[in-house]
Amino acid sequence: MKRRSFIRNGLLAGTSISSMSDNLSAAQSAAKPLIVSTWDFGRFANAEGWKVLASNGHALDAIEQAARVTEADESNKTVGYGGYPDRDGCVTLDACIMDEAGNCGSVMAIEHIKHPISVARKIMEKTPHIILVGDGALQFALENGYKKENLLTPDSKKAWEKWLKNSKYEPVINIENQLYKKQDNSFALGGINNHDTIGLLALDASGRLSGGCTTSGMAFKMHGRVGDSPVIGAGLFVDGEVGAATATGVGEEVIRCVGSHSVVEYIRIGFTPGQACKKMVERIAKRDLQKAKSLQIGFLAIDKLGNVGAFAMQKGFNYSLKSSTEEKVIAVESYFD
Ligand code: GLY
């Protein structure tokens, strides 16, 4: 099912939105395997990842397959193909992937390649390195059989040209959850968002954790700007003995506190995933309360038993969960109302 067919009052058959209280106080716990991903659009990715998990596959494969769904979704303006370009009109993508044993790969500011998550995995598996950036990353991708493509869709080009008239960057909070009218007069969640990403975490039937994170980053950013998403420890962190976490929102603030790693460290010392995410958001807010009021950051975490939790700076953040017993989008509690 395509993202555009999702309507606020007519959710996917079998998918429900649960209340915020489900999330933090009573952590989501599901029998493994399970997959979770940031935002409501994550459920389409989860469905693909689930195919791997349901056949006893590795969590890492589930993550890669799931992330590719969102990367290929032209209607998603903040991830992969169709993502908004930078201020020079170039679509530059960031992604990373990590498994339960600390193996990881990352690609930063790559152009013309539709599936940066797969390039990140290739870097992890085929090179002695963890990160490749820009032209070097593109060269590596082409050498490994990936096709050079134009990722700037007519829609995103139009949005960029409109933005060029004022050339002003203003983060917009939670726009993903606004109902908007589409050209065909139907309604959908989403709209013109200028900041977001998909982070995915999976626990497979054998108890292996993996995660991935992929984004086109901040819309109309400076050329070469890289956010938290491909930064191991910031946008994503996995410790197979403890848990995993991922982040969405304004990457600069997540990098500053090495957000996802810190969330996992909170889990290590005994906090639930939801509590761990909340502690990180509180730390960011405490550092600069004024700034925090105007930015969105969301953390999503899972422990090695499959307990899941999340917390955000602003309301409107949600995540998608798929297990053998549940398929739902879960609203997340926030620091500010
Ligand atoms: N969180 C995505 C970014 O800041 O680029």
Side-chain angles (χ1 to χ4, degrees), residues 77-107:
K77 303 300 180 201
T78 59
V79 180
Y81 177 61
Y84 284 145
D86 62 22
R87 67 181 188 182
D88 298 343
C90 309
V91 179
T92 68
L93 304 179
D94 302 328
C96 73
I97 195 161
M98 189 166 191
D99 73 11
E100 79 285 357
N103 299 306
C104 50
S106 161
V107 65

Short mmCIF file of all heavy atoms in Angstrom, two decimals, residues 77-107:
data_model
loop_
_atom_site.label_atom_id
_atom_site.label_comp_id
_atom_site.label_asym_id
_atom_site.label_seq_id
_atom_site.Cartn_x
_atom_site.Cartn_y
_atom_site.Cartn_z
N LYS A 77 9.50 13.35 1.20
CA LYS A 77 10.40 14.44 0.80
C LYS A 77 11.63 14.56 1.68
O LYS A 77 12.40 15.52 1.56
CB LYS A 77 9.64 15.78 0.83
CG LYS A 77 8.40 15.79 -0.04
CD LYS A 77 8.75 15.51 -1.49
CE LYS A 77 7.53 15.51 -2.38
NZ LYS A 77 7.77 14.78 -3.63
N THR A 78 11.82 13.63 2.58
CA THR A 78 12.96 13.75 3.50
C THR A 78 13.85 12.52 3.53
O THR A 78 14.77 12.45 4.34
CB THR A 78 12.45 14.03 4.93
OG1 THR A 78 11.61 12.95 5.32
CG2 THR A 78 11.69 15.33 5.02
N VAL A 79 13.57 11.59 2.64
CA VAL A 79 14.38 10.37 2.58
C VAL A 79 14.54 9.96 1.12
O VAL A 79 13.55 9.93 0.38
CB VAL A 79 13.70 9.20 3.35
CG1 VAL A 79 14.56 7.93 3.26
CG2 VAL A 79 13.43 9.55 4.80
N GLY A 80 15.75 9.65 0.72
CA GLY A 80 16.01 9.01 -0.57
C GLY A 80 15.49 9.75 -1.79
O GLY A 80 15.47 10.99 -1.85
N TYR A 81 15.06 8.96 -2.77
CA TYR A 81 14.54 9.48 -4.03
C TYR A 81 13.38 10.43 -3.76
O TYR A 81 12.46 10.09 -3.02
CB TYR A 81 14.09 8.30 -4.88
CG TYR A 81 13.46 8.68 -6.19
CD1 TYR A 81 14.18 9.38 -7.15
CD2 TYR A 81 12.15 8.32 -6.46
CE1 TYR A 81 13.60 9.72 -8.36
CE2 TYR A 81 11.56 8.65 -7.68
CZ TYR A 81 12.29 9.35 -8.62
OH TYR A 81 11.71 9.69 -9.81
N GLY A 82 13.43 11.61 -4.34
CA GLY A 82 12.35 12.58 -4.12
C GLY A 82 12.58 13.46 -2.91
O GLY A 82 11.78 14.35 -2.63
N GLY A 83 13.65 13.20 -2.17
CA GLY A 83 13.96 14.05 -1.01
C GLY A 83 14.27 15.47 -1.49
O GLY A 83 14.74 15.68 -2.61
N TYR A 84 14.00 16.43 -0.62
CA TYR A 84 14.30 17.81 -0.99
C TYR A 84 15.81 17.98 -1.15
O TYR A 84 16.61 17.41 -0.40
CB TYR A 84 13.79 18.78 0.06
CG TYR A 84 12.29 18.98 0.01
CD1 TYR A 84 11.56 19.18 1.18
CD2 TYR A 84 11.61 18.99 -1.20
CE1 TYR A 84 10.18 19.38 1.14
CE2 TYR A 84 10.23 19.18 -1.25
CZ TYR A 84 9.53 19.37 -0.09
OH TYR A 84 8.18 19.56 -0.14
N PRO A 85 16.21 18.80 -2.12
CA PRO A 85 17.64 19.01 -2.35
C PRO A 85 18.24 20.00 -1.36
O PRO A 85 17.52 20.58 -0.54
CB PRO A 85 17.65 19.61 -3.75
CG PRO A 85 16.36 20.36 -3.84
CD PRO A 85 15.36 19.56 -3.04
N ASP A 86 19.54 20.20 -1.49
CA ASP A 86 20.18 21.24 -0.68
C ASP A 86 19.95 22.60 -1.36
O ASP A 86 19.25 22.71 -2.36
CB ASP A 86 21.67 20.92 -0.46
CG ASP A 86 22.48 20.87 -1.75
OD1 ASP A 86 22.05 21.46 -2.76
OD2 ASP A 86 23.55 20.24 -1.74
N ARG A 87 20.57 23.65 -0.83
CA ARG A 87 20.25 24.98 -1.36
C ARG A 87 20.78 25.20 -2.77
O ARG A 87 20.37 26.13 -3.45
CB ARG A 87 20.77 26.06 -0.41
CG ARG A 87 22.28 26.15 -0.31
CD ARG A 87 22.69 27.22 0.66
NE ARG A 87 24.13 27.42 0.62
CZ ARG A 87 24.78 28.28 1.38
NH1 ARG A 87 24.13 29.00 2.27
NH2 ARG A 87 26.08 28.41 1.27
N ASP A 88 21.69 24.28 -3.21
CA ASP A 88 22.19 24.38 -4.58
C ASP A 88 21.42 23.48 -5.54
O ASP A 88 21.81 23.33 -6.71
CB ASP A 88 23.68 23.98 -4.61
CG ASP A 88 24.53 24.92 -3.77
OD1 ASP A 88 24.05 26.03 -3.46
OD2 ASP A 88 25.67 24.55 -3.42
N GLY A 89 20.39 22.83 -5.03
CA GLY A 89 19.58 21.97 -5.90
C GLY A 89 20.09 20.55 -6.02
O GLY A 89 19.62 19.79 -6.87
N CYS A 90 21.06 20.17 -5.19
CA CYS A 90 21.61 18.82 -5.23
C CYS A 90 20.95 17.96 -4.15
O CYS A 90 20.90 18.38 -2.99
CB CYS A 90 23.12 18.81 -4.98
SG CYS A 90 24.03 19.96 -6.01
N VAL A 91 20.48 16.77 -4.52
CA VAL A 91 19.95 15.84 -3.52
C VAL A 91 21.15 15.07 -2.95
O VAL A 91 21.81 14.32 -3.67
CB VAL A 91 18.93 14.86 -4.14
CG1 VAL A 91 18.42 13.89 -3.07
CG2 VAL A 91 17.78 15.62 -4.77
N THR A 92 21.44 15.28 -1.69
CA THR A 92 22.56 14.57 -1.05
C THR A 92 21.99 13.74 0.09
O THR A 92 21.23 14.24 0.92
CB THR A 92 23.64 15.54 -0.51
OG1 THR A 92 23.12 16.28 0.58
CG2 THR A 92 24.12 16.49 -1.60
N LEU A 93 22.35 12.47 0.11
CA LEU A 93 21.74 11.53 1.05
C LEU A 93 22.74 11.03 2.10
O LEU A 93 23.94 10.88 1.81
CB LEU A 93 21.15 10.34 0.29
CG LEU A 93 20.14 10.70 -0.82
CD1 LEU A 93 19.65 9.44 -1.52
CD2 LEU A 93 18.97 11.49 -0.26
N ASP A 94 22.20 10.75 3.28
CA ASP A 94 23.00 10.23 4.40
C ASP A 94 22.33 8.95 4.92
O ASP A 94 21.10 8.91 5.04
CB ASP A 94 23.00 11.21 5.59
CG ASP A 94 23.52 12.59 5.25
OD1 ASP A 94 24.42 12.69 4.39
OD2 ASP A 94 23.04 13.56 5.87
N ALA A 95 23.14 7.96 5.28
CA ALA A 95 22.55 6.74 5.87
C ALA A 95 23.61 5.98 6.65
O ALA A 95 24.81 6.11 6.39
CB ALA A 95 21.99 5.83 4.77
N CYS A 96 23.14 5.19 7.60
CA CYS A 96 24.06 4.26 8.26
C CYS A 96 23.30 3.01 8.70
O CYS A 96 22.07 2.99 8.74
CB CYS A 96 24.78 4.91 9.44
SG CYS A 96 23.76 5.19 10.89
N ILE A 97 24.07 1.98 8.99
CA ILE A 97 23.50 0.69 9.38
C ILE A 97 24.44 0.06 10.41
O ILE A 97 25.66 0.30 10.37
CB ILE A 97 23.32 -0.20 8.12
CG1 ILE A 97 22.40 -1.39 8.40
CG2 ILE A 97 24.65 -0.64 7.54
CD1 ILE A 97 21.83 -2.02 7.12
N MET A 98 23.87 -0.70 11.34
CA MET A 98 24.71 -1.28 12.40
C MET A 98 24.10 -2.58 12.88
O MET A 98 22.87 -2.69 12.99
CB MET A 98 24.80 -0.27 13.56
CG MET A 98 25.79 -0.63 14.64
SD MET A 98 26.11 0.82 15.69
CE MET A 98 27.51 0.21 16.62
N ASP A 99 24.94 -3.56 13.17
CA ASP A 99 24.40 -4.83 13.67
C ASP A 99 24.71 -5.04 15.15
O ASP A 99 25.30 -4.17 15.81
CB ASP A 99 24.87 -6.01 12.79
CG ASP A 99 26.35 -6.36 13.00
OD1 ASP A 99 26.99 -5.85 13.95
OD2 ASP A 99 26.87 -7.16 12.20
N GLU A 100 24.33 -6.19 15.65
CA GLU A 100 24.42 -6.47 17.09
C GLU A 100 25.86 -6.59 17.58
O GLU A 100 26.12 -6.47 18.77
CB GLU A 100 23.62 -7.74 17.42
CG GLU A 100 24.32 -9.07 17.11
CD GLU A 100 24.36 -9.46 15.63
OE1 GLU A 100 23.79 -8.73 14.80
OE2 GLU A 100 24.97 -10.50 15.32
N ALA A 101 26.78 -6.81 16.65
CA ALA A 101 28.17 -7.03 17.05
C ALA A 101 29.02 -5.77 16.92
O ALA A 101 30.24 -5.82 17.04
CB ALA A 101 28.77 -8.15 16.20
N GLY A 102 28.38 -4.64 16.62
CA GLY A 102 29.14 -3.40 16.49
C GLY A 102 29.68 -3.17 15.09
O GLY A 102 30.42 -2.21 14.85
N ASN A 103 29.34 -4.05 14.15
CA ASN A 103 29.71 -3.79 12.76
C ASN A 103 28.83 -2.66 12.24
O ASN A 103 27.62 -2.66 12.47
CB ASN A 103 29.49 -5.04 11.89
CG ASN A 103 30.34 -6.20 12.37
OD1 ASN A 103 31.56 -6.06 12.49
ND2 ASN A 103 29.70 -7.31 12.68
N CYS A 104 29.44 -1.72 11.53
CA CYS A 104 28.63 -0.61 11.05
C CYS A 104 29.23 0.01 9.79
O CYS A 104 30.43 -0.13 9.52
CB CYS A 104 28.46 0.46 12.13
SG CYS A 104 29.97 0.99 12.93
N GLY A 105 28.37 0.67 9.04
CA GLY A 105 28.79 1.36 7.83
C GLY A 105 27.97 2.61 7.68
O GLY A 105 26.82 2.69 8.13
N SER A 106 28.58 3.60 7.03
CA SER A 106 27.90 4.89 6.92
C SER A 106 28.29 5.58 5.62
O SER A 106 29.44 5.49 5.18
CB SER A 106 28.33 5.75 8.12
OG SER A 106 28.07 7.11 7.87
N VAL A 107 27.32 6.25 5.04
CA VAL A 107 27.59 7.02 3.84
C VAL A 107 27.03 8.43 4.05
O VAL A 107 25.95 8.60 4.57
CB VAL A 107 27.00 6.29 2.60
CG1 VAL A 107 25.49 6.21 2.65
CG2 VAL A 107 27.44 6.94 1.33
#
